[in-house]
């Protein structure tokens, strides 16, 4: 397994529900990361009662976090505490976050509804009010970022390729210019021309056209959409 270190600028921190995904989806994902030479850190101590301090130190060594929301994600206080710390670092622009909605709807994560919500509120019953508020804030913040979605009957192999492609894109931007966000908007005919007219000082390379699955602002998953990918500096 590739382990991140401070010198590995652009390493990826994986946040996910181990009991549900470790030996299936995540194992295939890290195999793809290794084949493409993507450095990553993966936590093997979830639910073993170990202190999170050392884990947060390792998180600081990473520049990208891949948050994989699944139906059982919110049953783990470990996952939720990691997410709170990820949000803190993202708020300080020290970490780029790519949310992955693995067979769950973004709106269920955002609003703690559906099967995802059932797990969250079961955990909330045995947690403090302050914890719950931090968890809810983190879920809303991270799920509001543009993410990639996998539906129940979609091929995982193709989805993993999309994730690798997006990680490579963010990693390249991070290496070139430090932490940099990317925003995706649905493509409209001639939108590229209109944007360049409105922002003539922006170089063409700031705008890319790509196809991907993503969750829109309403929490609905849209498949293979043509989108414009804008750098943070372009849209701020």
């Amino acid at each position: 397994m590739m382990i991140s270190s401070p010198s590995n600028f652009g390493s990826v921190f994986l946040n996910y529900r181990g009991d549900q995904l470790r030996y299936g989806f995540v194992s295939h994902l890290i195999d793809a990361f290794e084949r493409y030479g993507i450095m990553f850190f993966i936590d093997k101590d979830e639910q073993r009662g170990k202190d999170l301090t050392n884990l947060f130190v390792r998180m600081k060594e990473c520049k990208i976090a891949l948050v994989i929301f699944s139906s059982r994600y919110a049953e783990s206080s470990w996952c939720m505490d990691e997410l709170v710390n990820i949000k803190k670092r993202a708020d300080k622009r020290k970490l780029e976050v790519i949310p992955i909605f693995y067979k769950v709807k973004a709106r269920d994560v955002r609003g703690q509804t559906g099967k995802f919500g059932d797990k969250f509120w079961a955990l909330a019953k045995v947690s403090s009010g302050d914890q719950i508020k931090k968890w809810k804030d983190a879920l809303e913040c991270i799920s509001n970022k543009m993410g990639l979605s996998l539906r129940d009957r979609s091929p995982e192999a193709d989805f993993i390729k999309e994730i690798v492609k997006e990680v490579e894109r963010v990693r390249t931007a991070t290496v070139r210019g430090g932490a940099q966000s990317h925003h995706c908007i649905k493509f409209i005919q001639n939108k590229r021309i209109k944007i360049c007219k409105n922002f003539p000082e922006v170089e063409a390379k700031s705008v890319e056209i790509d196809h991907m699955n993503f969750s829109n602002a309403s929490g609905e998953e849209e498949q293979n959409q043509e989108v414009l990918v804008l750098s943070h500096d372009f849209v701020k």
Side-chain angles (χ1 to χ4, degrees), residues 15-17 20-21 25 66-74 79-80 83-84 86 97-106 108-110 112 116 135 137-145 147-150 159 215:
N15 167 253
Y16 65 99
R17 183 66 176 109
Q20 183 179 17
L21 302 179
F25 178 73
L66 204 64
V67 178
I68 308 175
F69 293 116
S70 60
S71 60
R72 291 179 53 197
Y73 179 95
C79 286
M80 298 303 303
L83 188 68
V84 169
I86 287 171
V97 184
I98 305 172
I100 304 297
F101 301 98
Y102 180 84
K103 301 182 180 180
V104 293
K105 295 178 179 179
D108 286 340
V109 176
R110 189 174 303 119
Q112 299 87 57
F116 186 93
W135 292 343
D137 288 347
L139 286 171
E140 181 177 356
C141 173
I142 301 304
S143 64
N144 266 326
K145 295 179 181 293
L148 303 177
S149 300
L150 177 71
F159 187 59
S215 295

Side-chain angles (χ1 to χ4, degrees), residues 181-196:
S181 296
H182 287 80
H183 300 256
C184 300
I185 61 175
K186 289 189 67 175
F187 181 71
I188 301 173
Q189 191 66 30
N190 295 325
K191 187 70 174 182
R192 183 178 185 132
I193 297 174
K194 291 178 182 178
I195 286 177
C196 289

